[in-house]
């Protein structure tokens, strides 16, 4: 709760039980950016939405923000039109790539049609391989694979 009034994006890699997606949350503005490489809507995962809404409501309470009953449900979910995977196995790498792209730009907002700098319908094999290599290097540096 340090700097609880400072705007930030918090990244939550979320596994739905067989699929990875990314949630980028700005708790001050109560905005949840939803990035799903399968193109599903967040309503596909109602338990996820309830969990994240509950966390944001708890954060609001910690900041002593009073809202009306109408305002209590003012959390905004934004589906981002991000690159889509063409198979059923690369979702984790796509989620990592979305996170890396966002961090590289250092922005607090994610456009609904994704970042102009990284916009594409699909990542190429080379783009997916690049994030796989970065992930492997990260794990090697942590000595996880020794």
């Amino acid at each position: 709760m340090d700097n609880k009034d400072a705007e930030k994006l918090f990244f939550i890699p979320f596994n739905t039980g067989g699929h990875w997606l990314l949630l980028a949350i700005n708790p001050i503005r109560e905005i949840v950016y939803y990035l799903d490489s399968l193109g599903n809507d967040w309503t596909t995962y109602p338990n996820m939405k309830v969990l994240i809404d509950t966390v944001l409501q708890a954060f609001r309470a910690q900041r002593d923000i009073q809202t009306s009953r109408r305002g209590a449900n003012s959390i905004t979910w934004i589906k981002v039109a991000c690159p889509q995977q063409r198979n059923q196995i690369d979702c984790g790498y796509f989620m990592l790539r979305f996170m890396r792209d966002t961090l590289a730009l250092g922005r607090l907002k994610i456009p609904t049609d994704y970042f102009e700098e990284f916009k594409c319908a699909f990542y190429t094999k080379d783009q997916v391989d690049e994030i796989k290599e970065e992930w492997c290097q990260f794990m090697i540096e942590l000595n996880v694979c020794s």
Side-chain angles (χ1 to χ4, degrees), residues 62-112:
Q62 286 289 321
R63 293 178 60 228
D64 287 329
I65 302 295
Q66 303 297 319
T67 60
S68 65
R69 279 186 188 254
R70 178 176 281 166
N73 295 326
S74 65
I75 297 165
T76 302
W77 283 71
I78 298 173
K79 181 178 178 182
V80 178
C82 53
Q84 301 295 287
Q85 64 188 78
R86 297 187 232 195
N87 61 33
Q88 297 297 311
I89 59 171
D90 285 338
C91 56
Y93 298 115
F94 274 66
M95 178 270 306
L96 290 170
R97 181 90 194 201
F98 299 154
M99 194 180 326
R100 190 190 75 176
D101 290 352
T102 306
L103 288 168
L105 294 172
R107 298 189 187 148
L108 291 175
K109 294 181 181 175
I110 302 174
T112 57

Side-chain angles (χ1 to χ4, degrees), residues 112-129:
T112 57
D113 57 351
Y114 207 53
F115 298 110
E116 192 62 41
E117 296 88 340
F118 299 111
K119 192 183 297 185
C120 59
F122 308 98
Y123 286 135
T124 64
K125 180 183 180 320
D126 287 344
Q127 288 172 307
V128 174
D129 287 348

